[in-house]
Amino acid sequence: MSTDTIEPDMMEPDTAEKIATIPIGDIDVARPSLYQKDTIGLFFDRLRKEEPVHYCRESYVGPYWSITKFNDIMAVETNHKVFSSEAKLGGIAIQDMHSVEGALELEMFIAMDPPKHDQQRKAVSPAVAPSNLLLLEPTIRERACQILDDLPVGEDIDWVDKVSIELTTMTLATLFDFPWEERRKLTRWSDITTAAPETGIVESYEARRQELIECAMYFKGLWDQRVNEEPKNDLISIMAHSPATQNMPFLEFLGNLLLLIVGGNDTTRNSISGGVLALNQNPDEYRKLNDDPSLIASMVPEIIRWQTPLTHMRRTALQDWEIGGKQIRKGEKVVMWYLSGNRDDTVIDRADQFIIDRQNPRHHLSFGFGIHRCMGNRLAELQLRIVWEEIHKRFRKIEVTGEPERLLSNFVRGITKLPVRLHAR
Amino acid sequence: MVKVTFVSSDGTRREVAVAEGETAREAALFNNVPGIDGDCGGVCACATCHVHVDPAWIDRVGRLEQGNAEAELLQFAEGANEYSRLACQIPMLTKLEGLILHVPEQQY
Ligand code: HEM
Ligand code: FES
């Protein structure tokens, strides 16, 4: 049978009724197109109801288990002795790391197990500790104000390019005290660190390798400069002067640095875009916010739950283990779908609704839990809080004026375009 | 009810009470004690309920056991020391009536 005899709709059903007709074993939530069309939630609704721990035998990333309920995800997260993050076993995403010959792979502790993970995380974490972030807050705010002040009111603009990317890049540059005029380099390096040629971001693995070497040289320069200056509170200076990181082999330093850049780039960018979209889709919530800006405190974690900027983390089973009545075997790939767990209404009240004044808004999975729990979670919240406080002072409404476009990815839940018009207060 | 006092880094003392058997995390959350978030729901997976047990109380509460899940999490927490515990792992039994817990400065 040739493929053109199959209705596109049948290959890619987009309503709950059509999805209900697929044999449960054939459901494959790895397909990136489902995320681009944003129909993925309907598939997870069905899995949570009928087969919360689900095995997909065949997909473009090979066979894998899906864990879709909040408490089952928590059970995997907190059991790192059985569920490994190790890069050599495949790492932390549904698509294996180290699967491509000749791709320069950087070592990052997000894809390591204890004890190495613990040593590296402990060495780097003081740099993003809350007490250090407080020192950076005034600069982050001042620069956010500049970006917002320069925006044209009443014209159609793309919020993603003009605001989300700009604000995130600005924060990264501030954190690293990176040369201001060259700050978009950071965004570029973040993009290529995670890029494969099929994404179109780089031409080939060789091209990617070249750019990463350029990046390494650049940071080496900054390191040499900071090491010879008085200690300051940017992350490079902190790492260059702290006993735990001072003598790190350079490639290890680079891996950790890029992990901080990558970790905070797409995720924060898409939370900034996702918040605007969610408020537009829920006008009552937008009204609540305008009436009482103190709700920003609980709105920020709710935006992060709602967006779920990383749809999943993956583990590899080191031994046979039972979860939700299913037998997982040693060596199998286990995917914790945060995007699904964050809609699990047996744990989160009215999980399918965006509610900016929830009682317990931080009880969500977007930052993971356990020893790998996001190290930048407070930084991410700080950035979003500043952005929304400053938006509130200036604009009555950020009106979404066209259809958003979404990223073709089963890992980063991204918004690539969001047409808006600003209304001054 | 069992009483417990939370002392914040600026010295503010808050005495609260909780039903016996609830944890010190619940005692803080039910009474809006600042600095104790308890994001993971009390299952020892986030360390946002980190406290320093008052030295006079540490032996009655019990010290951290190296290598267990609680110690694994606390190694990454800012300001962790020999009196560190996770409030969600401290059941408030009557023998702890009057317990004093300090909220680390770094938590907000
Ligand atoms: C809304 C924004 C963000 C989201 C949704 C997010 C999400 C995540 C997730 C899901 C993990 C893995 C958790 C697990 O495996 O249990 C993680 C780990 C990590 N994140 Fe974030 N992140 C965000 C912002 C940031 C920022 C701003 C930074 C930079 C400082 C950062 C740095 C890291 C690092 C270093 C790790 C590795 C931690 C480890 O393996 O021990 N993240 N993040
Ligand atoms: S509430 Fe998460 S560790 Fe105690």
Side-chain angles (χ1 to χ4, degrees):
Chain A
M1 182 164 73
S2 79
T3 46
D4 55 18
T5 60
I6 301 175
E7 287 286 310
D9 262 18
M10 288 311 290
M11 291 175 70
E12 214 84 314
D14 54 5
T15 64
E17 292 73 41
K18 287 185 207 157
I19 290 165
T21 65
I22 310 173
I24 193 92
D26 290 352
I27 288 191
D28 172 13
V29 286
R31 288 154 66 180
S33 55
L34 304 181
Y35 296 81
Q36 188 165 43
K37 291 190 194 150
D38 202 29
T39 52
I40 185 65
L42 298 170
F43 289 82
F44 283 133
D45 286 347
R46 182 161 176 220
L47 288 187
R48 277 198 311 281
K49 231 176 276 149
E50 290 176 34
E51 202 155 306
V53 177
H54 174 263
Y55 190 64
C56 176
R57 232 164 285 280
E58 238 183 79
S59 81
Y60 88 107
V61 289
Y64 63 92
W65 287 95
S66 285
I67 314 290
T68 62
K69 297 206 70 168
F70 194 107
N71 290 331
D72 290 337
I73 291 172
M74 195 69 113
V76 175
E77 285 274 15
T78 51
N79 193 352
H80 55 267
K81 292 192 176 77
V82 171
F83 296 105
S84 166
S85 298
E86 173 57 48
K88 290 192 184 63
L89 299 177
I92 50 144
I94 194 167
Q95 183 148 34
D96 286 352
M97 289 170 103
H98 292 276
S99 53
V100 182
E101 195 86 14
L104 178 69
E105 292 297 349
L106 294 156
E107 298 224 336
M108 301 184 179
F109 62 84
I110 194 170
M112 294 176 191
D113 292 332
K116 192 142 192 236
H117 162 269
D118 301 0
Q119 290 156 8
Q120 302 232 332
R121 175 162 175 149
K122 263 188 279 188
V124 180
S125 61
V128 288
S131 55
N132 190 45
L133 296 179
L134 287 178
L135 303 173
L136 296 169
E137 176 170 349
T139 320
I140 297 179
R141 187 180 296 274
E142 192 189 306
R143 291 175 166 173
C145 289
Q146 270 163 26
I147 293 171
L148 295 174
D149 283 339
D150 287 348
L151 293 175
V153 170
E155 277 173 38
D156 286 324
I157 58 168
D158 176 14
W159 182 260
V160 174
D161 183 57
K162 285 281 174 311
V163 185
S164 305
I165 294 182
E166 206 42 40
L167 280 167
T168 317
T169 307
M170 170 281 288
T171 308
L172 284 173
T174 307
L175 285 175
F176 295 101
D177 195 12
F178 195 86
W180 189 242
E181 272 64 49
E182 300 195 279
R183 63 190 184 278
R184 283 252 172 166
K185 277 195 160 79
L186 283 169
T187 315
R188 173 73 188 159
W189 290 334
S190 172
D191 290 344
I192 60 167
T193 300
T194 49
E198 53 274 21
T199 59
I201 292 169
V202 287
E203 246 169 50
S204 63
Y205 279 105
E206 182 47 35
R208 173 174 172 274
R209 191 192 182 85
Q210 282 307 323
E211 280 197 68
L212 280 177
I213 289 171
E214 185 202 319
C215 160
M217 302 299 287
Y218 198 99
F219 276 116
K220 182 89 178 61
L222 291 181
W223 172 281
D224 289 345
Q225 173 203 342
R226 306 282 151 90
V227 108
N228 294 314
E229 290 172 1
E230 286 294 298
K232 294 183 300 176
N233 44 37
D234 69 89
L235 304 196
I236 299 176
S237 180
I238 290 177
M239 286 168 82
H241 288 277
S242 127
T245 37
Q246 230 164 21
N247 299 317
M248 229 178 219
F250 183 72
L251 271 181
E252 227 167 69
F253 160 75
L254 186 68
N256 285 325
L257 205 66
L258 282 171
L259 175 56
L260 292 177
I261 298 175
V262 174
N265 189 38
D266 294 339
T267 50
T268 314
R269 175 198 303 177
N270 290 314
S271 302
I272 296 173
S273 306
V276 170
L277 185 58
L279 284 169
N280 272 266
Q281 290 167 338
N282 297 274
D284 288 344
E285 300 302 303
Y286 212 151
R287 218 164 293 132
K288 271 195 228 167
L289 170 68
N290 271 330
D291 291 345
D292 180 6
S294 77
L295 293 179
I296 290 172
S298 54
M299 178 179 80
V300 163
E302 175 69 351
I303 287 175
I304 294 171
R305 177 186 77 94
W306 191 248
Q307 179 63 23
T308 316
L310 297 179
T311 64
H312 74 273
M313 283 281 147
R314 162 265 177 94
R315 302 289 186 257
T316 308
L318 295 177
Q319 63 182 76
D320 294 1
W321 198 262
E322 194 189 297
I323 287 221
K326 296 290 173 82
Q327 189 65 43
I328 291 170
R329 304 212 175 275
K330 181 177 173 178
E332 285 178 335
K333 193 188 282 195
V334 178
V335 183
M336 303 177 281
W337 292 104
Y338 299 145
L339 184 59
S340 173
N342 274 343
R343 299 289 184 275
D344 181 349
D345 57 15
T346 61
V347 172
I348 299 173
D349 179 40
R350 290 166 291 163
D352 60 347
Q353 293 174 39
F354 176 75
I355 303 173
I356 68 169
D357 51 356
R358 283 182 181 276
Q359 279 310 304
N360 199 356
R362 289 214 180 97
H363 195 48
H364 64 67
L365 293 163
S366 299
F367 291 124
F369 278 109
I371 60 166
H372 286 284
R373 180 170 167 82
C374 178
M375 218 171 83
N377 62 351
R378 289 300 193 252
L379 174 59
E381 287 191 357
L382 175 78
Q383 273 190 80
L384 288 180
R385 180 168 58 73
I386 292 175
V387 170
W388 280 102
E389 284 169 0
E390 297 305 328
I391 287 176
H392 180 81
K393 287 183 199 156
R394 291 166 176 75
F395 307 114
R396 177 164 47 87
K397 179 154 194 201
I398 301 159
E399 182 197 357
V400 174
T401 53
E403 279 302 304
E405 287 175 20
R406 292 174 183 275
L407 187 69
L408 182 68
S409 164
N410 59 25
F411 187 58
V412 173
R413 186 153 184 260
I415 297 170
T416 48
K417 199 165 175 197
L418 187 62
V420 302
R421 195 173 304 147
L422 307 176
H423 301 276
R425 195 163 277 290
Chain B
M1 301 293 271
V2 186
K3 287 202 188 92
V4 47
T5 300
F6 290 91
V7 187
S8 56
S9 55
D10 64 6
T12 311
R13 301 173 75 87
R14 288 182 185 80
E15 190 187 78
V16 303
V18 71
E20 183 178 8
E22 298 271 22
T23 68
R25 168 186 178 271
E26 273 73 44
L29 291 189
F30 295 165
N31 296 286
N32 297 316
V33 173
I36 308 283
D37 290 342
D39 295 354
C40 75
V43 298
C44 192
C46 69
T48 60
C49 65
H50 176 199
V51 289
H52 293 144
V53 179
D54 193 86
W57 284 91
I58 187 70
D59 289 320
R60 234 172 301 173
V61 172
R63 285 176 196 264
L64 208 51
E65 277 173 54
Q66 283 319 309
N68 73 7
E70 189 179 344
E72 276 183 338
L73 266 191
L74 274 170
Q75 63 179 329
F76 308 126
E78 197 184 6
N81 66 20
E82 59 183 307
Y83 302 110
S84 289
R85 287 293 309 265
L86 295 175
C88 69
Q89 303 302 307
I90 306 177
M92 291 304 299
L93 308 173
T94 41
K95 67 166 185 177
L96 295 183
E97 170 74 26
L99 175 66
I100 298 173
L101 299 172
H102 302 266
V103 181
E105 164 182 20
Q106 295 83 357
Q107 250 149 261
Y108 66 94

